[in-house]
Amino acid sequence: MSRGLWGSMVGLNQSIQQAVLAVSTVPGPSDTPDAIDSALRRVELAHQMNVALQRHRTTFVTLLHKPKSQADRDLLQRSMTEAVPIQGFSSPAKLPEAFVREALLIADMYSLNEMAALSLLKSAEEEKTLYPGMPRGLIAVLFYYDSREQFVNAFKTLIQARQGISWTLLEGNEELSVSITRYLKPMLNLNMIDKILELISNMDLTKEVELLQHNRALGDARHRKMVLDKFKSVRLLFAESLFYWAAQTPLEKDECRRLMAYLSKVKLAETGDGSLDQVTITLLMALLYSIESGHLLAVEDMTDALSSFPITSDKTFVAEIHRELQSGGREWECPGLKAVVQFAWAVSLANLRQVANSIQLTDYDAYIDDDELMLAEALKVNVFSFLEKSVLCKSNVPLDLFYCRRLHSMMADFIHRMPERVKYIKTKADENAQNIIAHLREGLQVPANLDQPFEQLLTCLAALYRSGPCDELIEEYWSENSAILSTGSFSSRQVALKNFVQLPRDFLPHSLFIPYVQFLRSLADTDHSAQRVYDFLRYNSHPGLQESNLSWDHFLGALSKYYHNLRIEQPVVDSIYRSSRSGRAITPQELDGLVSVLELLAVVVSHDEAARVDLSSRPAFSPIELCTGLLTCSVPISLKTQLIHVLAAFSKSPSVAVTVWQCMEAAGIVPAVDGTPGYANRGIKQDIEEVESRSEEFPLSQAMISLLISLVESGVPSQLATSMRGHGFNPYLQLVKQQIFIPHDSRTYRRAEERWVVAKICCTLFHKLVMSYQPTQKGSTSNASSQQPAHTLVLDFVQDSSLLRQLLNVLHDGVQILEQYVEVAGFEELQATLKLILEMFLKVLKYQRIILNSEENGTLLLIGLDKLLVSMNPRSGNCDHLGNITKLIGHHAVLPQHAAIACNLLSIVGNSLSGHKHLMPLLTSPSTATSTRQYLVQLIDHATLDDDHVEAATAALKLLKTFLNLPAPNLTHFFLGFLDGTGIRSGELRSDLLEPGVRGFPRTAMHAIIAVLPSLPPQLSELAYNLLHSLASHHSTAEATLRYLSSRDFVYRSLSSLPISVEETPDRILATSWILRIAALDLRYHASHKQRSQLNRLITVLVTGSESNPDATSDNMDGNLTWISNANGNTSSTRGILLSLLEGLELNVDPPQLLQCQYLTRAPELIKACEEGPNAEINVELLYQHLKQVLQDSGPTSAPITQKGPLESEIQTVLDHALARNAASTLLLSRRNLIEAWGQLTEVVVTVTPPDLLESPLHKAFLHAITLELTRRVLDDMARPDLTSLLVSTLLLLVTTLKNLYSPESHQTANPNYVSTLDAGESPQVPSALLLILRGLVECVAKFRHSHQSVRANVYAALLNFLKIYSTTASDSSSSSRTPSLVVATGENSIEQYHRESYDVVKEEMSQLLSVLCCEATAGHHLCRMLSLTCLSSIAALETRASPVLGCGSLLGNSVSALLDQLSQQGQLRRLLDGIEQDDVQLLSLVTAGGDLRPLYVWEARCALLAQIALNPDGARQLLQAGLIARFSKLQILSAGLEAGGGVTLGATKGAVRVCQAIVSSLGSQDWSAGSQVADFLSIHINTIGAVLQPPSSNLPLDTLALVAGVVASTAAAGQNNSSITLLYQHLLNLMPSLMPPHSTMPQDADQKTQILYLETLSSCLSCCSHHLLANPRTIIFQPMVETRNTKTLTLGTLLNALKFASNTFTESNDRSSNGTKESALQESSTQQHNKHEILLKKQELSSYIAESAAFILWRHLHTFLQQSSSGLSQQQPQLPHIADTRTALTLAHHHSKSLTTLQLSTLKEQVNEAFSELLPGLQSLHDEFAASTSHVAFLPAIVARIRKMLLVT
């Protein structure tokens, strides 16, 4: 689709400007990446420009002239009734009638092609959101003028970029310059100058306004100003294009004649003040450059130059131009303009004569000698006077540098090439002076028609060198070595110019005195030239020389004589200031001479410090004393004004300023107390109030304030308040406030602009004082703020004072004038005044809190500036002071600095709830809401124009950020579009953000920020991203913001454009960090809303660096090593943003060099006192104030500067050190933020990545690579620990993810259909990168041993999680693979290899690792202690897993465990055991005093470690030898009991018992020593253990019961001789009825785990009973009956129930295993099937054991009963072992004191036989299906056979 007229012109101008501005090369080597990127960027921009130039070739030829077309008009009219194809529309379109009529109206207005007019209107419709409230027709008119401006600007830039003689714009790209020159050459030859001049002639502003008004094409004042400014700009740009054309390549003869023809028609009456307008001056300069011949003398090869310039290459050029300029030639409307051209032509002829002296020039002899005649013609019209009044007038200054150069060259060549003519006019000036003196002596009137060209020349030169940037040009007048003359023309011209300056020598006629002094004054505008002027006048003052009236002695002597004449009546010696009437009178000529001399003195002294010091130290004729003395006399106002300017110039040196203060105080120029008018000397006040007010001009007021400004800048001495008058600076301040500033708007001014000049200079003084004010903090030992000269002034800002009211009035008046969009007199001063007022308000608001809380101001009624700004405005009657400030933001296009300060002011005032409450309705009311929002939007849109707009946009973004922190709704919500009209009233925020124009949605700051964000400078982009992050993270705006950003694909584009290596600029680093944080929020948003495609897209670009690259990594997990090693290779594009950023992270900041001071020994203290904020950033401004005070206190203020040079140098060193520290602090903060943001994004990516995506080979390789790289960066020795510690938490999450990645449970959860390699019968492939990661984690433990506890905890947790990788898999696989290895030596699989290699890695650092972890385990924080203990446990477990391969610590090997060996050698094992007592005390304190459960967690971790160590037989023995059981026996927490200790005691018991279980299981039941120690421990804490051995209930965890039961049962064999433990056995046996039907407490819906716990507990009970029966075969435990009436009695029926319960459980498990195999094969994964199979297998094993144990116990009891009956032992009491002491045994003994009768025995046998017969099928099935395959001996059939045989025996 076509971009239309406006869009194409904007694009054309942008492409040209970017290509031209991009030629600046990057500093430094050309082979750096930045230089290469810059070169490629320049090539790309140049190509784009060439494409645009080729497309718009016709446009340049016609100068954007698009004539009307009847065919296009008919097509447009037809489009109102039918759809027709129209350029710019994608398909045939039918246009509204109003739209077509507007397009035709625009076409008729400007004689423009109808389609072009339609495109303007279409562009206006599309961009109407940029101009809210403005009709599209007015926007189209504006776009028309903007199109022309854009085109002419592009045309001017192209002409300026050509090759030529005046400048080289494309210095770094000559090829582009040649291309542009070649492109424009044929176009410029197509009568281009005629077209340009015709356009300029036809562009009449008055006619254009009439045309616009007639067609109602002018809108409000703002639109009117924009249109007219663009119209004027187009006209001036055309003229400048012609000037650049002529300055680079002089115009041809015919072109010059056409230009002269145009200039001949110019009339001075068009400007009104006799001056030339800018367009005419520009065209005049183009003509002057074209007819110049001086450049011929500056080239080396003059022969080639003659053929290059039209003035010599065209033989008729000189003749034709000379004929045009002769007196009989063309008539000019402005003779002065012609005289200027004639003068320039005469100088060119003189240069040509010089050229002819070197090279023979033919055809020029007849004209070269006419230079004198041409000059005479010019002088007749007073050419120098015309230049001064019409070209160099005030309205045209400052002139362009090239204009000044051409005029200077013309004047210098005149002085150099025509010395005789200069001498002639100088002689004529001397004659005129003598004639004037003769007339004065005779008392005659001086002739008025005297010709004075030399005087006019001096005046013109003075005006020239004051009109623009002429510093370099002025230096040409001062030759450094005039004795050396070279043959070059430049040197001879320089000597001629210097001689011209020194032409008067000893004496100057009075008629030339003032012009010459003014000329000297203009030559003293630079430091060097001021010094030369001073030396020149000082040389004339040397004794022995003839008295000269051009010397400092003469000037100061004349002032002294005049002063003494005013004081004392005495004759006056002859001088040019002599008055013939009275000794006290002075003539106007003498007054003008004195004023000129004072002007010269002020300029020289202002620029030359040596002159200031020298003149002020004169013992006689001291200018300071003379000036202050004359100020007390009755002298004219003009003289007083210049006297004060001289004092102001002297005051620039602090040492001289003290003298000025003293003289002023002594003279009483400003009285401290007002005297009575007419009776007392009121000093300068009287002149201001009476003389200046009467004359309606106020130069004296301005001069006085300038003097005060200079004095304040040099420093107000503290002795001023202790002088004789004793009022300090206050009288001077009151003079400015009360007599000048406050009444300034009520006075009448002869010149309207002077009102704003006075206001500006007053505010400048106030601004100097306010900005230098430093309020005193409470408790500060520094000087009180009341001693500062600005103290009373600042207090006026925080109370309702007349000064503040006047400032607000000035602000109101200035804003009202700006809103009219009409330039008035004094417009620049008005703008400067408003800026000064805003800056003062901003300064006071920043320090307002300190000022209001100051103890010095406690007696004053201070309100506060923020409250006064929301008060009533008397000018408008509304509370709109802040509204006026807001309106300044709308003028940001011309006042960007004002807009920046206004935004800062609104931020401070609106940051409080009361201020924001006032601002909200003020800025969001229906009448102001649209304009206010548009102010801020445009301010952000124009952020990239220049540095001032960058600052303004920065302030705007800070304003939005500030207001966002306030309660919703706030102004930020309004500016960003979250509040519409309804929301403003209701307070509800929008839930969606739309594009501009959609459903009437306005263009908001959000749209502007996103639009300009790619082109913003780093500082501004950082603020923008920060604001977007705040919006995306705030609960009220997050969803709408993230949804809108997703619609713009903002996050993806931002991530894709991230630099791979972050530049070392804090702003860019911070911007990158905010992007990463926004990306993290966006990922969470997509994940929470289940937006899978967007989520995967973002994750992929972060991981791989491209949107999709499935083949980037192979299935081989070792590919991540190649990924890392090829960081700089071809595969870097697939490394991803996260990994690339990690590699580019700088983890160190170079600190600044140490500060070494020789004089400022208190510098460190001063720097410390100026530190602010959490980052200890130094307030450089405050430090400078302190150092400045030190400098003032270092010695007398009158001391020479050379004595303070070393101290000033050291002060600068201190300031540089402070800046370096701030820079380092800022860089460190930015890098810390980037690290945190990277970690946050990485954690979110890993967390929200879908499981199936995480399982892909690419993401696995990414996880390995980034974890390994992160480990490497963390261990970097050059990195700062405070930065690397920020990455540890991310490392923990990555390691945790890796652990879960290799966990079977994760696969099962992530993908139900997942088939693991173990289940498939394959050994999984273990990535080799895991070992490198493990090595890094082990090293991290030692590296961070002294870090913060949170960092250490993360390191320990990371190591702990990593050690769990493949931990469960190994145990499962080893259990199935170890048994066959006894028969067949199988090979080592990959997991076993991984365990072995991992253990080798840990073993290498075992000593240091154990040292850190064991130290942490005893003296660290609770969390760190728990994690360190758990890490030790995991290391022990790793050693156990590796032991079958290594052969260490196993029953099969002879090697000693490395862990145990190190623990023993370092004494860490005893240290770990010593921690038991510490844990006991803390646990006991937890029971008694309460608190959190951290001690319990530490205890559990310690017990887990001890249990893991005890699993190794050697470890168990060492623990026993170290007294572990003895320490357990002394635990007071176990003696507290469950009722008192509750869960704490239960947890402590569980941990201790688990350790005992590990010891017993490790050493086996045959180790009677270990068993007896455990039994002793149990018997000591029998109350607590017995409380645990209770029937299962909800109050007691079932797993604890099973655990304790198992340990008690395991001690049954070794505890036979311990009488105390038998009670525990009784408790254990009493559990049997409640563990199985019919009295079972197990729920009906119990899960498999609960069932297994019941089975384990029951097996422990039967195991305990079996051990007793084996040791005491005749023991009777179960009563000889089958009935089980209750749970308190154990009978043979209990054993039968156990057999039945075991048989049923096995049958159920067997059936479920066989029936569920087919069903689960389709519905469940193999891992789930494996887990279920393991559970069922466990139940079958327990059932088999219960059945065998119960059968054995039953057989033993039946055997005992039968033996008793058959052997006649019924009369004897059974000899029971120690179990007879229990309640059950005693009952049995009592019951069986009599033997069973035959009937009882028979009945018992029948009942048992009947019950047992029912169980036989189940027991047979149990044996056949399980026991037969797992047991080497058929135990169950054998014992069943015995029982059956015993029951069948008669």
Side-chain angles (χ1 to χ4, degrees), residues 75-96:
L75 182 63
L76 270 184
Q77 291 176 343
R78 193 154 49 91
S79 67
M80 293 186 293
T81 58
E82 59 177 310
V84 296
I86 302 176
Q87 185 179 5
F89 292 85
S90 58
S91 60
K94 180 180 179 182
L95 303 178

Side-chain angles (χ1 to χ4, degrees), residues 183-202:
Y183 176 81
L184 287 177
K185 186 175 182 179
M187 299 180 185
L188 299 181
N189 294 331
L190 298 175
N191 297 325
M192 185 62 69
I193 191 169
D194 292 336
K195 298 176 185 178
I196 294 176
L197 292 176
E198 181 182 1
L199 286 172
I200 294 176
S201 302
N202 294 334

Side-chain angles (χ1 to χ4, degrees), residues 297 452 924 974 1018 1047 1223 1340 1429 1480 1660 1662:
L297 300 171
Q452 297 177 330
T924 60
F974 166 71
S1047 68
C1340 285
L1429 290 168
D1480 186 31
S1660 298
L1662 294 175

Side-chain angles (χ1 to χ4, degrees), residues 104-123:
L104 295 177
L105 177 61
I106 294 174
D108 294 338
M109 282 178 59
Y110 302 111
S111 297
L112 185 66
N113 182 272
E114 288 77 8
M115 288 302 170
L118 178 67
S119 69
L120 288 174
L121 204 61
K122 181 174 178 290
S123 298

Side-chain angles (χ1 to χ4, degrees), residues 815-835:
V815 171
Q816 294 304 313
I817 294 175
L818 291 177
E819 287 294 298
Q820 296 174 7
Y821 290 95
V822 177
E823 290 191 8
V824 297
F827 196 67
E828 294 181 358
E829 287 76 12
L830 180 151
Q831 296 174 353
T833 303
L834 295 180
K835 180 186 175 185

Side-chain angles (χ1 to χ4, degrees), residues 633-646:
C633 301
S634 179
V635 297
I637 291 295
S638 59
L639 185 58
K640 279 192 175 182
T641 301
Q642 291 305 321
L643 291 170
I644 296 177
H645 282 309
V646 171

